[in-house]
Each structure stands twice: as C-alpha cells, then as structure tokens.
C-alpha cells in the first residue's frame, strides 16, 4: 500500500541522497533482524534520519545479526520495507550498498577477527576459557547472595604459559575486553554529563564468542568506526553501555562519535512498550489504514525534539519535520503515546492527500479496494457505485468526519456504495407517486443548495403541501435511497449522495 505516493519521496533530493560524497554528519539505524519494526525502533530511525537531513548528512541502515540464534527469516526485508513505507529512505543499506559495505554484520566477520587480534596484541583483551557451567554457578551464587551477577574476571589473570597450555589442550574460548574504571562523565547530547563506572558494576564483557561471531558491543564500535559514524542516536536503554563503548574506542586509539540517547516512549497507561504488543508494530498500523505521515507525526509527539506548537493543527510533511527538528529539544523524561492523536493525524492526512488532485487516483483505488473487500457479494453485480466523481465527492464530504478510509465502508454507510436493487418490495411502498413528483421538484434545486439543512426544511414543506405524513415520506425515501432501515438522516443521506445520485436512485427505484 502507498507505493505510488512514495515515488515523490524517492524523487525528492531533500529526502534521498544517492551519492557518496564524504559528509561530516553520518548516522545509522542498526536494528537486529529478530522481529518486526515497532514504534520504538521507528522513532530511533526517524530521529536519526531527521538529524542527518537537517545537517545535510547521510543516513545508513545497518543490520546487526551477530546473534544468529535469534535471526527471524524475512525480518531484514520486512524492516527495510517498513522504513521505506514510512518514508525513511536510507542512503546506504544492504540493498542499495555504498562505500562502507557490507551493511550486514554477519558478512563482516573477517574485519572483526582482524580487530580482535589488535586488542589481544596490545593487552586490551584476553582469551577466556570459562565453561558455561562455571558461569552459571557464578550467576547462581551471586543471586543467592543478593548481588548483581557478573563475571569475576578470572581468566584475565592467566599467564601466557597457562593460556598456551589450554590452547594446546584444545579448550574452547571466547575473547573478553578488559574494563578499566570510568569515574569521569561522558557528554550525552540529550542528557548532558552522565557518569557510570562500568568496571565497578560489570565484569569484563565478551567481545568475541566461541563460535567466531562478535558480540553487539564490539561489532557496534568497530562498524561505527569503519563506517565513519559521527553521531550515535539511540534509545536511553543503551546509555549505561556507552562507557564500555568509549573504552573500546580508547583501546583502539580511535576518536569516538558523539552520543545522544532518546527517552523511552510509553503506552498511554504508563507501561513500557513491549514487542509482544501487536499494536506497536509498524505492520499493524499499515494494515489498519494508518497513513505513513500520520504515524510519523504521531511518534514525534512523544519525546520532544521539535520547534513547534504542541497543539495538533496539521499533519506535517517531511520537509516540515526536517526544518523543525532540533536535537537540543529532545526531552530527558519518558513520554506517553496518545492513540487519539494518531487518529487525528490520520484525519488531517486524508485532507492533505485530498487537497492535491495528483493523489486522487491513489485514494480512489484504495477506497475501491476497501469497498470490494467490505461488500464482496456485490462485486459481481452492477449495484456498486464506484465512479471516480462519486468517490471524490464523498471523500470531500467525509474528510472532517472520518479518521480512516475504512470508516466509509461501515454498515451504516453501505448506501454510499451499494445501490438498492429495484425489486417487488419497492412497488409495495406507499407514496411512490409522490416520490415521482418530488424527484421532478428536486431537479430544480441547485447543486450548491443540496445540503442537509435546506433539504430537511424542503422535505417537511413538501410533505405538508402534498398531504403526505412526514414520517412515512422519510421511510419511503430511506428505502429507495439505501434499502436500509437505519443510518444517517434522510436529508444527510441525500447531501452525501449529491443531487444527481439521489435523483438517479429515486427514478430507478420508483420506476
């Protein structure tokens, strides 16, 4: 869905950059292919994207799949597709490639192996031969003593000779990084000075597993360096890992990027977003009729970062969001999502799309699809009213009344699309002769005056003049126009259908 609208994004140079000139600003979104893109990940990707575009920088999509046991088949393709649907188009990624590829970590193992050798050689890392059984014992003992489980760094103190003997015996090993005290704060672009003494709270972390794959912390640093990442914007849950990453940069003698951490976004009830929630998946919103711009605007309401009024007055374009974005305005406190705002943004986006005739073909196609899905039994008949003029006029009437296009195919609005079939029941209706008279009189009403209030008064006056009980007239008109017993008022129904469609239905049904 929405592919045709995305062509604009593909062709707009402010949104895409298919050249590889060196940029001072390079950011990345680096998800693991362990599931679907959710709102938290989308917000991280969006803020990186806006930061890059507002600084004439480059936005990279990198896939961090070093934990092969958790990789979900098809997740990479789904992640990329969801990003592109949302209008977040990478300059470099596993498909489009770029000058710093490969952009999938499992294809960069040789690079990691080479960098591990450097840390082993300069004494910043060591080989650890501890079995899983011993590590499990350490965890259990720590929990028993009500302490935080952490590795005791035993293998750090092995002599070179002992390491050689263990290797000679063919013992399995991983590689750990030597943590050192970090008493000084680091500068967070969002939170300011942050202090976390990682060596005091954690044991030496594994940076290369026994299967030859690097861990997240190591591969993340290596890739950011070789991909020349200048700024790292990520969720606040990674903030306590930053001192560890800075120590790795120091061990290599590399200049680190600047780090900024984004606050948590919460559910409306204050609980944390969970990957188990179906309603935080981007795919969920795509299937439920939410437009990309609406979803993007929605997540910008949680967490700050924009120079604008807080009241919802419009659904902003990417151009607007890029101009408004200011990393210095990101909040340090968690923010709650408000689902009502999402529907409000979606309603505003429907109006935005409708105001540009270039979008009409897409809207018509989408609504025709929804109508056929809602009333499949009518598809093979000629009772569906799907002419483009009727669809657009209906959308214009509904744009301030609906939140989703699917609202227009609800049961009480079935009459919009399904023309009542001319059958024997109509012949038994009262006052059909009066309906013929009414039809001729309605022909003289100007289309601009064919509105609910004036029609309501007109029908009352007609009933009075022609000695027809008003309630009976309304029942007859409702049956002829919709074939339904319930729904909007008859006058409103006539306004929605418009003069020509109303007359066509009255003539056909009463004939």
């Amino acid at each position: 869905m929405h592919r045709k609208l995305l062509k604009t994004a593909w062709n707009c140079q402010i949104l895409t950059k298919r050249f590889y000139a060196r940029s001072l600003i390079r950011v990345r979104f680096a998800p693991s292919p362990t599931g679907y893109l959710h709102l938290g990940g989308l917000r991280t990707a969006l803020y990186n994207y806006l930061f890059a575009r507002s600084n004439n920088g480059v936005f990279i999509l990198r896939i961090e799949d070093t934990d092969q046991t958790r990789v979900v088949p098809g997740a990479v393709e789904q992640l990329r597709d969801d990003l592109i649907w949302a209008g977040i188009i990478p300059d470099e990624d596993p498909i489009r490639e770029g000058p710093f590829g490969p952009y999938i970590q499992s294809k960069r193992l040789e690079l990691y192996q080479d960098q591990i050798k450097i840390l082993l050689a300069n004494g910043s890392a060591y080989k650890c031969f501890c079995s899983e059984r011993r590590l499990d014992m350490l965890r259990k003992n720590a929990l028993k003593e009500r302490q935080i489980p952490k590795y005791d760094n035993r293998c750090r103190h092995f002599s070179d000779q002992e390491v050689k003997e263990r290797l000679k015996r063919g013992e399995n090993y991983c590689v750990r990084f030597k943590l050192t005290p970090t008493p000084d704060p680091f500068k967070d672009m969002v939170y300011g000075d942050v202090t976390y003494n990682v060596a005091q709270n954690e044991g030496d972390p594994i940076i290369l597993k026994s299967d030859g794959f690097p861990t997240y912390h190591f591969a993340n640093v290596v890739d950011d360096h070789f991909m020349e990442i200048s700024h790292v914007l990520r969720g606040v849950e990674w903030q306590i890992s930053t001192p560890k990453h800075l120590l790795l940069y120091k061990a290599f003698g590399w200049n680190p990027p600047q780090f900024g951490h984004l606050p948590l976004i919460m559910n409306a009830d204050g609980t944390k977003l969970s990957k188990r929630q179906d309603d935080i998946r981007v795919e969920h919103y795509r299937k439920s009729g939410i437009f990309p711009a609406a979803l993007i605007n929605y997540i910008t309401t949680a967490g700050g970062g924009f120079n604008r009024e807080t009241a919802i007055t419009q659904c902003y374009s990417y151009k607007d969001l890029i101009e408004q974005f200011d990393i210095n305005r990101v909040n340090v406190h968690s923010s709650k999502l408000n689902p009502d705002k999402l529907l409000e943004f979606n309603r505003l986006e429907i109006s935005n799309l409708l105001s540009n005739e270039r979008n009409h073909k897409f809207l018509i196609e989408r609504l025709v699809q929804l109508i056929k899905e809602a009333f499949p039994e009518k598809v093979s008949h000629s009772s569906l009213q799907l002419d483009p003029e009727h669809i657009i006029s209906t959308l214009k009437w509904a744009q301030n009344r609906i939140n989703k296009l699917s609202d227009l195919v609800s049961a009480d609005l079935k009459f919009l699309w399904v023309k009542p079939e001319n059958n024997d029941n109509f012949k038994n209706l009262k006052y059909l002769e009066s309906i013929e008279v009414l039809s001729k009189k309605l022909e003289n009403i100007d289309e601009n005056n064919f509105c609910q209030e004036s029609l309501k008064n007109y029908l009352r006056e007609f009933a009075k003049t022609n000695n027809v009980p008003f309630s009976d007239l309304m029942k007859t008109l409702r049956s002829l126009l919709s074939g339904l017993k319930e729904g909007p008022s008859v006058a409103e129904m006539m306004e929605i259908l418009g003069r020509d469609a109303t007359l066509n239905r009255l003539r056909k049904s009463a004939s």
Side-chain angles (χ1 to χ4, degrees):
M1 188 180 91
H2 222 58
R3 289 293 181 193
K4 294 182 179 179
L5 289 181
L6 279 173
K7 288 182 180 179
T8 303
W10 280 106
N11 295 330
C12 184
Q13 283 300 316
I14 196 169
L15 298 179
T16 58
K17 294 157 64 84
R18 192 68 181 105
F19 53 86
Y20 299 131
R22 288 292 191 268
S23 173
L24 295 177
I25 303 296
R26 289 178 58 84
V27 297
R28 47 70 170 178
F29 175 54
S32 299
T34 56
Y36 298 96
L37 184 64
H38 55 81
L39 290 186
L42 181 64
R43 197 273 299 267
T44 298
L46 175 66
Y47 278 36
N48 275 280
Y49 181 77
L50 295 177
F51 183 77
R53 292 293 176 262
S54 62
N55 290 282
N56 196 31
V58 173
F59 172 73
I60 298 167
L61 172 63
R62 184 176 75 219
I63 302 300
E64 301 195 337
D65 63 341
T66 55
D67 189 349
Q68 290 286 294
T69 62
R70 298 177 61 223
V71 172
V72 174
V76 174
E77 292 77 13
Q78 183 68 50
L79 281 165
R80 187 175 183 274
D81 191 50
D82 283 342
L83 286 176
I84 292 176
W85 172 83
I88 302 175
I89 304 172
D91 301 305
E92 303 168 22
D93 68 17
I95 304 299
R96 303 182 85 193
E97 286 295 335
F100 298 98
Y103 293 87
I104 298 179
Q105 285 185 336
S106 59
K107 297 181 179 181
R108 299 169 65 86
L109 297 183
E110 186 175 348
L111 172 65
Y112 305 136
Q113 294 282 355
D114 290 342
Q115 303 310 306
I116 285 290
K117 292 175 183 177
I118 293 174
L119 295 186
L120 287 171
N122 68 20
S124 299
Y126 60 93
K127 294 173 181 176
C128 173
F129 299 90
C130 290
S131 65
E132 189 58 43
R133 181 179 178 183
R134 180 177 187 276
L135 296 176
D136 186 53
M137 181 189 70
L138 288 176
R139 284 191 290 268
K140 289 180 178 178
N141 289 340
L143 294 172
K144 186 177 180 180
E145 299 295 328
R146 296 185 178 181
Q147 298 176 350
I148 298 175
K150 64 178 183 179
Y151 180 56
D152 60 1
N153 300 346
R154 184 186 74 158
C155 295
R156 180 200 275 218
H157 309 291
F158 284 172
S159 65
D160 291 343
Q161 184 60 36
E162 186 168 1
V163 171
K164 288 179 181 178
E165 289 177 358
R166 287 176 177 271
L167 291 173
K168 189 175 181 180
R169 292 197 295 267
E171 293 186 24
N172 285 334
Y173 67 89
C174 63
V175 177
R176 292 182 182 269
F177 177 67
K178 294 180 181 179
L179 295 178
T180 55
T182 53
D184 297 326
F186 70 89
K187 194 73 173 179
D188 191 301
M189 297 169 65
V190 175
Y191 288 82
D193 289 343
V194 176
T195 302
Y196 179 72
N197 195 332
V198 64
Q200 182 178 325
N201 294 283
E202 302 179 28
D204 291 341
I206 296 172
I207 55 176
L208 187 73
K209 294 174 286 187
S210 58
D211 62 2
F213 277 80
T215 59
Y216 161 80
H217 298 291
F218 181 73
N220 177 279
V221 167
V222 171
D223 288 340
D224 282 350
H225 171 73
F226 283 99
M227 292 183 179
E228 299 183 6
I229 300 301
S230 62
H231 297 76
V232 173
L233 304 181
R234 57 189 179 187
V236 70
E237 65 271 21
W238 295 108
Q239 192 177 65
I240 62 172
S241 297
T242 302
K244 188 184 309 179
H245 298 164
L246 290 171
L247 286 174
L248 279 163
Y249 279 102
K250 183 178 179 181
F252 279 116
W254 297 337
N255 291 323
Q258 295 184 54
F259 290 90
H261 294 88
L262 307 174
L264 290 175
I265 51 178
M266 316 286 283
N267 290 308
D269 61 2
T271 58
K272 290 184 178 180
L273 300 183
S274 169
K275 290 184 178 180
R276 298 185 186 93
Q277 292 176 239
D278 289 335
D279 62 351
I280 69 164
R281 292 181 176 183
V282 171
E283 182 186 37
H284 165 79
Y285 296 100
R286 293 180 64 172
K287 291 181 176 179
S288 62
I290 298 298
F291 286 102
L295 187 60
I296 290 300
N297 275 262
Y298 176 49
I299 61 175
T300 65
T301 63
F306 298 87
N307 183 17
R308 68 184 183 210
E309 298 294 328
T310 55
I312 297 176
T313 58
Q314 61 178 300
C315 190
Y316 295 106
S317 67
Y318 263 109
K319 184 176 184 296
D320 296 327
L321 294 175
I322 290 167
E323 292 174 350
Q324 296 169 359
F325 186 72
D326 183 354
I327 189 66
N328 296 311
R329 287 179 171 267
V330 174
N331 299 333
V332 296
H333 303 294
S334 301
S335 299
K336 296 179 183 178
L337 289 168
N338 182 349
D340 291 339
K341 291 183 179 180
L342 175 60
L343 294 178
E344 190 171 351
F345 278 125
N346 210 56
R347 177 179 57 79
L348 290 168
E349 179 61 5
I350 290 173
S351 295
N352 285 346
L353 294 171
L354 195 57
S355 66
N356 189 334
E357 289 188 3
R358 289 181 297 180
N359 298 322
H360 285 188
K361 183 179 179 182
F362 161 77
L363 291 171
I364 291 168
E365 290 176 351
R366 179 66 186 125
L367 200 45
V368 167
Q369 179 185 350
L370 289 171
I371 294 166
K372 289 181 176 180
E373 291 173 354
F375 312 112
E377 74 282 359
K378 301 295 183 181
V379 173
S380 59
H381 298 77
S382 59
S383 57
L384 288 180
Q385 186 168 351
L386 302 177
D387 52 290
E389 295 79 10
H390 173 63
I391 291 176
I392 293 302
S393 64
T394 302
L395 278 171
K396 288 180 178 179
W397 165 83
Q399 60 183 317
N400 294 319
R401 295 174 169 88
I402 62 172
N403 295 315
K404 298 180 181 180
L405 293 182
S406 57
D407 293 343
L408 285 173
V409 295
S410 59
D412 60 341
L413 292 179
K414 180 180 179 180
F415 73 92
L416 288 171
W417 320 111
V418 181
K419 293 178 286 187
E421 297 177 6
N422 192 355
N423 55 40
D424 292 337
N425 291 332
F426 288 153
K427 296 178 181 179
N428 296 326
L429 289 172
K430 295 181 179 180
Y431 310 111
L432 286 182
E433 291 182 2
S434 297
I435 295 298
E436 292 183 33
V437 175
L438 176 63
S439 297
K440 293 178 180 179
K441 289 185 175 294
L442 289 175
E443 292 177 2
N444 299 320
I445 298 179
D446 186 84
E447 181 72 44
N448 295 326
N449 295 323
F450 209 80
C451 57
Q452 182 178 348
E453 285 304 315
S454 62
L455 285 169
K456 186 175 182 180
N457 295 330
Y458 187 90
L459 292 173
R460 282 190 179 278
E461 186 63 29
F462 177 86
K464 183 178 179 181
T465 303
N466 291 270
N467 296 317
V468 179
F470 183 70
S471 60
D472 288 343
L473 178 64
M474 293 301 100
K475 289 179 182 178
T476 303
L477 284 172
R478 182 181 295 281
S479 295
L480 295 175
L481 292 172
S482 69
L484 304 175
K485 294 182 179 180
E486 296 180 348
S489 69
V490 171
E492 185 178 11
M493 193 181 296
M494 293 169 70
E495 177 188 347
I496 300 169
L497 289 171
R499 188 189 65 182
D500 292 342
T502 296
L503 291 173
N504 286 337
R505 291 194 183 192
L506 292 180
R507 290 166 184 157
K508 178 181 178 182
S509 301
S511 61

